[in-house]
Amino acid sequence: MAEQKTATSEKKVEDPPQPEAIKPYCPVTVEPVLFLLFTAIVMTGSLRQQYIYYRIGNGTVNQQGSSCYGNSSNSSEYQDRQSNQAEAIQWATAIQLSSGIPALVVTVLIGSLSDKLGRKLNLIIPIVGCLINFTVAAFVVQFNLPLAVLLPGIFLLGLGGSTATLTGGCYAYIADITVKGRSRYFRQALLQTVTGAGSIVAALGGNFWFQQLGFPLGISQPFWFTVGLGGFCLLYIIFALKETCPRKSDSQLCALSNISGIFQLFKVKGRTPRWPIGVLCLAFSLLWGMYQALPGLIVTYLVGPPFCWSPTFVGFFQMAIGAGFFVSAMAIKVFSKYPYGLMTVGYISGMGCIGLFGLSPYTANREVTVFIAAAIGCVQSTSSTLLRTVMSKMVGPEEQGSLFGLVSFVTNLSAVVFVPLWNFVYSSTLSIMPGMVFLIYIGVLLICAVLTGFVKFKAPAMAEENLVKEGKEEHDSTRL
């Protein structure tokens, strides 16, 4: 009898989970795509915002050590530059809405479809959208077209699901080829590190390029460079990446079930409710809405008064922020047993960074204070990374595409709702206190910390383990 139980137990261990994961060609999978695409995305995002600001100001580029338009808040030049800042932020709002609104529907559809039609679908569509957007932006700068021409390219980027769908597809791909536990924590943290590395390359390369060649040639050449990066990534996905979620024979392109998969994530299974996913999604939306608005606000904040930084100095600061992704990845690697504690540390790091950044204009040495703020925020990205991974552990392998489709939807929804809100707050408080919006962000991070802690302590068993009942069987056929 004992032997029979042992045999049965061994059989359960040997049986692979369904659906069976497919091992990729090599351990390096979507990381090169995410690195190159984020290099292109961050480079174009930063340079586009600077291009808009300097285009409004008739092409006058700051030089480090300049008088910053008199350094007096009462001077006409100073006030004109603040007006240019406000107008540049309005363009940033229009750009965000142009991509965010169409992406709301597309992300849900693509995420669910990837569970049935293949995971590569989640990667190819947004890359095509990025490629079109890069090309349109390059033409605008090259031929001095009206700024409004940027919007159709951004709209087509949204129809491709925007960068949120691309990121969600990469996370779902990694979830397919890793087992639940520390390996998934690290591999998904590695994705965040790769985006940080891309941000560093983009910040240094793009801004140095701009500083050396000036306006507008220093922007048009990097934009055409990003077109080449997008084309390479598209070819890589099509020909060099192996599908990890084969198409199901009964799957249809147009079916109600393609969208209903998102709602099934919140359906109670047995005695394990799914409300923690909803709470963590709310925290993620608040957090990501803030981080979506930050890049545009930071660039406009630093190139305008009272900082008036040159493009090179802006690049150095963006590099310092990007270096924090590496520190975050190492922290996750070492302390992956304590995801909720590490998320709390990330929230505290973000509060210190953003708070000091907002108060930096009132310190004796603004430049030094800004870089100290970047150092304090070196682990702030752990929160968003671990929120995704914890939610990934709460669903089964057949629901990863739907989950990250939901995360992509939440990402785009938060961008549509919160980016215009934070841009409006920044424009409205610019004449009162330029860094006020960053101080408000501290309250947002505090709310996120409370929501995360609520899941941890209200449902501790669900917070640490998968909510899907899987019994005792484990099968690691894809250990990398």
Side-chain angles (χ1 to χ4, degrees):
M1 198 65 181
E3 292 179 358
Q4 185 178 357
K5 288 183 177 180
T6 304
T8 305
S9 177
E10 290 176 354
K11 185 177 180 181
K12 285 185 177 180
V13 173
E14 291 174 358
D15 287 338
Q18 297 295 330
E20 183 179 355
I22 296 178
K23 191 172 183 179
Y25 295 121
C26 66
V28 180
T29 54
V30 293
E31 289 84 356
V33 175
L34 206 59
F35 171 74
L36 294 176
L37 254 297
F38 259 81
T39 298
I41 291 166
V42 174
M43 185 179 293
T44 54
S46 175
L47 292 180
R48 182 182 60 215
Q49 191 63 19
Q50 293 184 69
Y51 174 77
I52 292 172
Y53 176 79
Y54 292 125
R55 176 92 176 259
I56 294 171
N58 298 319
T60 306
V61 181
N62 295 336
Q63 300 296 325
Q64 198 57 33
S66 66
S67 61
C68 198
Y69 313 104
N71 262 338
S72 171
S73 59
N74 296 321
S75 68
S76 59
E77 290 179 304
Y78 190 101
Q79 293 176 357
D80 286 342
R81 288 297 171 175
Q82 280 203 331
S83 176
N84 293 343
Q85 280 184 288
E87 187 175 349
I89 286 298
Q90 291 173 4
W91 275 104
T93 301
I95 287 172
Q96 185 60 63
L97 291 176
S98 297
S99 64
I101 291 177
L104 285 176
V105 178
V106 176
T107 50
V108 175
L109 182 62
I110 295 176
S112 296
L113 280 174
S114 69
D115 285 331
K116 299 180 179 181
L117 302 181
R119 202 67 74 199
K120 291 170 70 170
L121 178 75
N122 234 14
L123 302 172
I124 292 175
I125 294 178
I127 289 177
V128 171
C130 287
L131 187 56
I132 295 173
N133 176 44
F134 297 154
T135 305
V136 171
F139 272 104
V140 169
V141 180
Q142 182 73 41
F143 300 104
N144 198 32
L145 301 178
L147 292 177
V149 180
L150 291 170
L151 299 182
I154 296 293
F155 179 79
L156 292 174
L157 171 65
L159 284 181
S162 192
T163 55
T165 300
L166 173 68
T167 306
C170 291
Y171 274 86
Y173 193 96
I174 293 299
D176 288 340
I177 63 175
T178 55
V179 293
K180 297 178 179 68
R182 302 184 70 181
S183 64
R184 184 175 299 180
Y185 277 125
F186 180 68
R187 284 299 298 271
Q188 293 193 344
L190 191 61
L191 289 181
Q192 195 79 358
T193 306
V194 166
T195 63
S199 301
I200 292 174
V201 173
L204 288 179
N207 286 288
F208 182 77
W209 211 332
F210 182 23
Q211 187 73 42
Q212 292 300 308
L213 298 183
F215 182 92
L217 190 61
I219 296 180
S220 63
Q221 285 190 6
F223 274 24
W224 286 115
F225 174 70
T226 62
V227 173
L229 290 181
F232 174 81
C233 290
L234 183 60
L235 295 175
Y236 177 91
I237 291 295
I238 294 174
F239 298 108
L241 201 67
K242 193 169 186 178
E243 182 60 72
T244 58
C245 187
R247 178 172 181 169
K248 295 178 174 60
S249 57
D250 59 341
S251 60
Q252 298 179 0
L253 182 62
C254 298
L256 184 61
S257 59
N258 294 333
I259 299 178
S260 63
I262 298 291
F263 302 101
Q264 293 297 321
L265 292 173
F266 299 99
K267 185 178 179 180
V268 177
K269 292 192 175 183
R271 296 182 179 179
T272 53
R274 295 294 189 95
W275 63 262
I277 297 179
V279 176
L280 293 180
C281 272
L282 176 59
F284 185 83
S285 67
L286 294 173
L287 185 67
W288 203 249
M290 183 189 74
Y291 284 133
Q292 289 263 56
L294 266 178
L297 293 179
I298 286 175
V299 169
T300 309
Y301 185 60
L302 293 178
V303 299
F307 291 95
C308 300
W309 278 13
S310 68
T312 303
F313 246 61
V314 173
F316 287 149
F317 177 73
Q318 290 176 326
M319 180 199 70
I321 292 293
F325 289 102
F326 292 93
V327 180
S328 296
M330 294 307 300
I332 293 174
K333 175 67 175 177
V334 175
F335 301 105
S336 59
K337 289 184 177 180
Y338 314 100
Y340 286 86
L342 197 54
M343 277 191 277
T344 303
V345 173
Y347 292 134
I348 296 173
S349 175
M351 291 178 197
C353 171
I354 293 173
L356 189 58
F357 186 67
L359 295 173
S360 58
Y362 309 100
T363 59
N365 193 324
R366 291 192 290 259
E367 287 74 17
V368 173
T369 304
V370 166
F371 283 99
I372 291 175
I376 293 175
C378 64
V379 292
Q380 61 180 318
S381 64
T382 57
S383 301
S384 58
T385 302
L386 290 174
L387 278 172
R388 283 192 182 102
T389 308
V390 168
M391 286 189 286
S392 174
K393 291 177 63 182
M394 293 179 174
V395 300
E398 73 285 353
E399 297 176 307
Q400 293 296 328
S402 296
L403 172 68
F404 286 106
L406 173 65
V407 172
S408 299
F409 172 79
V410 169
T411 300
N412 285 312
L413 179 62
S414 62
V416 170
V417 174
F418 292 113
V419 171
L421 172 64
W422 297 129
N423 288 345
F424 173 76
V425 171
Y426 178 79
S427 301
S428 302
T429 59
L430 193 58
S431 58
I432 304 171
M433 181 181 179
M436 182 178 292
V437 66
F438 302 110
L439 301 181
I440 297 174
Y441 279 167
I442 297 176
V444 176
L445 288 171
L446 185 60
I447 293 173
C448 293
V450 171
L451 291 173
T452 306
F454 179 78
V455 173
K456 168 64 178 176
F457 295 107
K458 190 68 176 178
M462 291 183 286
E464 298 297 336
E465 301 295 336
N466 193 337
L467 291 183
V468 179
K469 202 172 183 181
E470 296 179 325
K472 297 181 179 180
E473 62 182 48
E474 284 273 343
H475 180 78
D476 183 3
S477 61
T478 56
R479 190 180 298 276
L480 299 178

